[in-house]
Amino acid sequence: MLVCPTREEIRALTAGYRRARRSVGLVPTMGYLHEGHLALVREAQKWVDKVIVSIFVNPTQFGPNEDLSTYPRDAERDLKLLKAEGVDGVFLPSAEEMYGSRGGAFVEVPELSGILQGALRPGHFRGVATVVTKLFNIVQPDVAVFGEKDYQQLTLIRQMVRDLDMPVEIIGHPTVREADGLAMSSRNVRLSDDHRRQAVALSRSLDRAEEAARTERNVTSLDALIRQELAAAAVGKVESVDIRDASTLEPLGDTLSGPAVVLLAVRFGTVLLIDQRVIGKI
Ligand code: AMP
């Protein structure tokens, strides 16, 4: 496994793969890896010959009051885990390497970047779209794998790739969960014991919503049910509950008429947890 701190080194590695007619997959991450990330790596390995993982805590997708400086990091452990998975190359750049000579160009997906999580985190999705574009241009993968856990991010990247004709296939992977249902996240380690216990309410309320949607088609009732479940568990501050069209993220009318996605964001102290579930599949 080759660890490349510079764009030049990772480019040389993937250019060699392409010359040898090997297909290349990319799994972008911010590190502090868990089973969710490793599941994306295994998914990528099904699609391509060579898998590259990037580890980069991208400063441009964090707002001024967000957790950039406290975001958990452990590159040594991450590299061990990736080596054990048979990953071929790791792109591990510094912020200076990625943005040192940056002139301020960016990528924006306007319909999707200002809504939902984007409304709570101004500038976040511009940062995401820009860094993912840079990673695609640097690594030039045939395939890239993203988690459904960050559902809006996955939707936005799919649209960006489609609208800008980027020559990469986007694969989504279902959310990997802890035994009690909590979606795995690098941020979970920062939950207090109490908050960790309460955090199961996110997935539990999504289970209830999924179950209820088999018979209940009224969107307001489903929304109320989810909020009740969260309130009953006395969880942290519910930042948002949204039920949207599963492919466009547009608001729904009164009645579920096809697949919809429930998007939750709940704050526990300083930790913002998100989760999602597609409901109403026909
Ligand atoms: P992050 O390191 O949090 O930026 O995540 C890197 C990639 O892993 C993104 O595509 C995430 O959606 C994905 N991911 C994070 N947590 C999970 C999880 N629990 N299950 C599946 N994918 C995940």
Side-chain angles (χ1 to χ4, degrees):
M1 183 177 84
L2 202 64
V3 180
C4 305
T6 67
R7 290 164 291 176
E8 201 183 335
E9 284 164 280
I10 196 78
R11 271 213 168 109
L13 181 68
T14 60
Y17 291 153
R18 278 189 297 279
R19 271 197 305 278
R21 301 240 174 278
R22 299 283 184 273
S23 55
V24 176
L26 173 66
V27 180
T29 80
M30 299 205 298
Y32 212 74
L33 303 179
H34 51 64
E35 273 299 315
H37 297 111
L38 301 182
L40 303 193
V41 167
R42 291 172 204 138
E43 181 68 32
Q45 285 166 335
K46 291 187 207 157
W47 292 80
V48 293
D49 302 313
K50 299 286 180 186
V51 171
I52 306 294
V53 174
S54 61
I55 299 177
F56 180 55
V57 183
N58 174 36
T60 69
Q61 70 190 66
F62 286 78
N65 299 317
E66 294 181 3
D67 57 350
L68 174 62
S69 62
T70 57
Y71 196 85
R73 296 164 213 240
D74 189 345
E76 208 176 303
R77 177 175 160 276
D78 289 346
L79 293 177
K80 271 193 205 134
L81 289 171
L82 295 177
K83 197 166 178 194
E85 291 298 324
V87 164
D88 299 282
V90 178
F91 181 41
L92 188 68
S94 64
E96 173 70 18
E97 175 69 18
M98 287 296 270
Y99 294 115
S101 59
R102 184 168 179 254
F106 58 83
V107 181
E108 185 86 86
V109 185
E111 290 120 335
L112 287 170
S113 63
I115 61 170
L116 302 165
Q117 280 288 296
L120 297 174
R121 305 181 67 186
H124 170 69
F125 285 116
R126 174 193 285 193
V128 168
T130 303
V131 80
V132 170
T133 301
K134 283 169 71 72
L135 291 170
F136 286 175
N137 286 336
I138 294 164
V139 175
Q140 297 181 33
D142 301 287
V143 160
V145 185
F146 293 86
E148 287 175 3
K149 170 169 172 284
D150 299 283
Y151 196 88
Q152 186 174 0
Q153 169 175 285
L154 175 60
T155 308
L156 176 136
I157 288 166
R158 284 193 197 283
Q159 185 174 340
M160 174 182 89
V161 163
R162 208 167 42 234
D163 288 358
L164 298 179
D165 304 298
M166 296 181 174
V168 53
E169 183 170 357
I170 304 300
I171 311 290
H173 189 281
T175 301
V176 177
R177 297 175 181 279
E178 303 286 356
D180 67 357
L182 177 66
M184 289 191 181
S185 164
S186 308
R187 290 185 167 101
N188 291 350
V189 295
R190 292 179 30 226
L191 292 169
S192 68
D193 290 349
D194 269 356
H195 287 158
R196 171 63 189 84
R197 274 191 292 276
Q198 291 175 15
V200 69
L202 278 84
S203 65
R204 222 171 256 164
S205 67
L206 293 171
D207 292 342
R208 295 281 185 286
E210 189 178 9
E211 212 177 283
R214 297 202 186 105
T215 49
E216 176 61 80
R217 313 299 286 179
N218 184 285
V219 174
T220 312
S221 305
L222 288 167
D223 184 279
L225 177 97
I226 296 163
R227 288 177 194 273
Q228 264 165 30
E229 285 289 332
L230 291 173
V235 296
K237 182 169 181 291
V238 178
E239 295 274 0
S240 58
V241 175
D242 292 283
I243 306 179
R244 297 285 178 108
D245 180 284
S247 53
T248 63
L249 300 188
E250 279 170 9
L252 300 172
D254 297 336
T255 311
L256 280 192
S257 56
V261 62
V262 182
L263 301 165
L264 301 183
V266 181
R267 189 176 295 283
F268 293 88
T270 58
V271 185
L272 181 68
L273 295 185
I274 60 170
D275 204 349
Q276 56 75 33
R277 184 77 53 85
V278 175
I279 62 169
K281 283 178 259 187
I282 297 169

mmCIF file of all heavy atoms in Angstrom, residues 107-115 156 159 163:
data_model
loop_
_atom_site.group_PDB
_atom_site.id
_atom_site.type_symbol
_atom_site.label_atom_id
_atom_site.label_comp_id
_atom_site.label_asym_id
_atom_site.label_seq_id
_atom_site.Cartn_x
_atom_site.Cartn_y
_atom_site.Cartn_z
ATOM 1 N N VAL A 107 -16.793 24.917 -6.747
ATOM 2 C CA VAL A 107 -17.887 24.232 -7.448
ATOM 3 C C VAL A 107 -19.135 24.347 -6.582
ATOM 4 O O VAL A 107 -19.067 24.119 -5.371
ATOM 5 C CB VAL A 107 -17.542 22.744 -7.671
ATOM 6 C CG1 VAL A 107 -18.674 22.030 -8.413
ATOM 7 C CG2 VAL A 107 -16.232 22.620 -8.441
ATOM 8 N N GLU A 108 -20.234 24.704 -7.206
ATOM 9 C CA GLU A 108 -21.481 24.896 -6.451
ATOM 10 C C GLU A 108 -22.595 24.138 -7.154
ATOM 11 O O GLU A 108 -22.673 24.126 -8.383
ATOM 12 C CB GLU A 108 -21.795 26.391 -6.414
ATOM 13 C CG GLU A 108 -22.986 26.793 -5.584
ATOM 14 C CD GLU A 108 -22.652 27.014 -4.112
ATOM 15 O OE1 GLU A 108 -22.241 28.140 -3.753
ATOM 16 O OE2 GLU A 108 -22.807 26.056 -3.341
ATOM 17 N N VAL A 109 -23.444 23.482 -6.358
ATOM 18 C CA VAL A 109 -24.646 22.833 -6.889
ATOM 19 C C VAL A 109 -25.820 23.551 -6.225
ATOM 20 O O VAL A 109 -26.319 23.115 -5.191
ATOM 21 C CB VAL A 109 -24.653 21.317 -6.563
ATOM 22 C CG1 VAL A 109 -25.841 20.621 -7.232
ATOM 23 C CG2 VAL A 109 -23.341 20.667 -6.988
ATOM 24 N N PRO A 110 -26.230 24.689 -6.793
ATOM 25 C CA PRO A 110 -27.075 25.624 -6.046
ATOM 26 C C PRO A 110 -28.381 25.045 -5.508
ATOM 27 O O PRO A 110 -28.748 25.332 -4.373
ATOM 28 C CB PRO A 110 -27.358 26.740 -7.045
ATOM 29 C CG PRO A 110 -26.364 26.579 -8.126
ATOM 30 C CD PRO A 110 -25.932 25.150 -8.135
ATOM 31 N N GLU A 111 -29.076 24.200 -6.307
ATOM 32 C CA GLU A 111 -30.387 23.724 -5.817
ATOM 33 C C GLU A 111 -30.234 22.884 -4.558
ATOM 34 O O GLU A 111 -31.141 22.790 -3.750
ATOM 35 C CB GLU A 111 -31.103 22.843 -6.852
ATOM 36 C CG GLU A 111 -31.590 23.584 -8.057
ATOM 37 C CD GLU A 111 -30.930 23.027 -9.304
ATOM 38 O OE1 GLU A 111 -29.820 22.457 -9.194
ATOM 39 O OE2 GLU A 111 -31.527 23.171 -10.379
ATOM 40 N N LEU A 112 -29.110 22.209 -4.421
ATOM 41 C CA LEU A 112 -28.977 21.264 -3.310
ATOM 42 C C LEU A 112 -28.116 21.778 -2.164
ATOM 43 O O LEU A 112 -28.173 21.253 -1.064
ATOM 44 C CB LEU A 112 -28.396 19.941 -3.828
ATOM 45 C CG LEU A 112 -29.386 19.109 -4.644
ATOM 46 C CD1 LEU A 112 -28.678 17.948 -5.333
ATOM 47 C CD2 LEU A 112 -30.505 18.580 -3.743
ATOM 48 N N SER A 113 -27.316 22.814 -2.410
ATOM 49 C CA SER A 113 -26.355 23.172 -1.362
ATOM 50 C C SER A 113 -26.921 24.143 -0.328
ATOM 51 O O SER A 113 -26.365 24.266 0.765
ATOM 52 C CB SER A 113 -25.061 23.718 -1.955
ATOM 53 O OG SER A 113 -25.341 24.891 -2.651
ATOM 54 N N GLY A 114 -28.053 24.788 -0.645
ATOM 55 C CA GLY A 114 -28.597 25.759 0.316
ATOM 56 C C GLY A 114 -29.734 25.218 1.166
ATOM 57 O O GLY A 114 -30.225 25.903 2.055
ATOM 58 N N ILE A 115 -30.166 23.985 0.882
ATOM 59 C CA ILE A 115 -31.323 23.438 1.608
ATOM 60 C C ILE A 115 -30.877 22.466 2.703
ATOM 61 O O ILE A 115 -29.721 22.055 2.736
ATOM 62 C CB ILE A 115 -32.307 22.723 0.639
ATOM 63 C CG1 ILE A 115 -31.619 21.551 -0.078
ATOM 64 C CG2 ILE A 115 -32.892 23.706 -0.356
ATOM 65 C CD1 ILE A 115 -32.574 20.648 -0.861
ATOM 66 N N LEU A 156 -26.101 15.315 -3.912
ATOM 67 C CA LEU A 156 -25.430 16.472 -4.523
ATOM 68 C C LEU A 156 -24.274 16.035 -5.429
ATOM 69 O O LEU A 156 -24.098 16.560 -6.535
ATOM 70 C CB LEU A 156 -24.949 17.370 -3.384
ATOM 71 C CG LEU A 156 -24.137 18.606 -3.697
ATOM 72 C CD1 LEU A 156 -24.650 19.773 -2.847
ATOM 73 C CD2 LEU A 156 -22.667 18.413 -3.392
ATOM 74 N N GLN A 159 -25.606 14.673 -8.657
ATOM 75 C CA GLN A 159 -26.050 15.731 -9.570
ATOM 76 C C GLN A 159 -24.862 16.483 -10.181
ATOM 77 O O GLN A 159 -24.851 16.801 -11.365
ATOM 78 C CB GLN A 159 -26.992 16.719 -8.867
ATOM 79 C CG GLN A 159 -27.515 17.717 -9.889
ATOM 80 C CD GLN A 159 -28.569 18.657 -9.362
ATOM 81 O OE1 GLN A 159 -29.203 18.388 -8.347
ATOM 82 N NE2 GLN A 159 -28.748 19.767 -10.051
ATOM 83 N N ASP A 163 -24.382 16.789 -14.068
ATOM 84 C CA ASP A 163 -24.474 18.098 -14.712
ATOM 85 C C ASP A 163 -23.159 18.537 -15.341
ATOM 86 O O ASP A 163 -23.150 19.247 -16.348
ATOM 87 C CB ASP A 163 -24.933 19.163 -13.704
ATOM 88 C CG ASP A 163 -26.399 19.010 -13.335
ATOM 89 O OD1 ASP A 163 -27.062 18.108 -13.897
ATOM 90 O OD2 ASP A 163 -26.878 19.776 -12.482
#
